[in-house]
Amino acid sequence: MSDRREKNAPGAGEEEAVYYLTDERGKEYPFELLDVIDYQGGKYAVFFPLDEGQEDSEDSEAVILRAFPREDGTVEFDGEDDEDIIDDVFAIFMKNMRAAFDAEDFS
């Protein structure tokens, strides 16, 4: 899945940001946007695959894609080949998640 584009974003008041990402064959897949990370001059989106109509699978993993804003206002997402960048972005994501849960626990 190398060519991925934003197709649908949440409206005001929606709890989760669901994006439909399209693969190189034109097949769409729903993903929940969990976080956007600024890292080394780039923006990386952390997505979780959604299987509409079914419970979350224990086999599902977060997907990290680099975001490329386009002139028409949409965003194109593409995979990152550098495993070190993926690891670093994921570590930042996990730190953000821990901080968010810790803040909620003591509010």
Side-chain angles (χ1 to χ4, degrees):
M1 296 175 102
S2 60
D3 182 27
R4 302 171 184 208
R5 293 191 181 128
E6 167 187 354
K7 186 167 183 202
N8 212 8
E14 290 187 25
E15 289 186 22
E16 62 183 32
V18 177
Y19 285 73
Y20 289 86
L21 304 180
T22 307
D23 69 12
E24 61 275 359
R25 294 179 306 263
K27 183 165 177 158
E28 291 183 348
Y29 300 90
F31 286 82
E32 179 182 358
L33 177 62
L34 301 177
D35 203 354
V36 176
I37 309 290
D38 290 313
Y39 183 74
Q40 293 186 348
K43 287 199 180 287
Y44 294 86
V46 182
F47 289 103
F48 187 79
L50 299 175
D51 190 2
E52 293 181 337
Q54 296 183 359
E55 295 296 318
D56 291 338
S57 170
E58 291 180 15
D59 296 333
S60 297
E61 295 181 356
V63 176
I64 297 172
L65 301 174
R66 186 160 185 176
F68 296 94
R70 298 171 54 137
E71 289 183 19
D72 65 2
T74 62
V75 177
E76 186 168 342
F77 299 99
D78 203 357
E80 175 61 58
D81 294 329
D82 188 325
E83 289 294 323
D84 290 334
I85 291 176
I86 292 170
D87 290 344
D88 291 348
V89 170
F90 187 72
I92 294 167
F93 166 70
M94 292 302 295
K95 181 180 176 185
N96 292 348
M97 293 299 294
R98 279 191 293 276
F101 282 110
D102 287 346
E104 287 178 15
D105 291 343
F106 299 104
S107 297

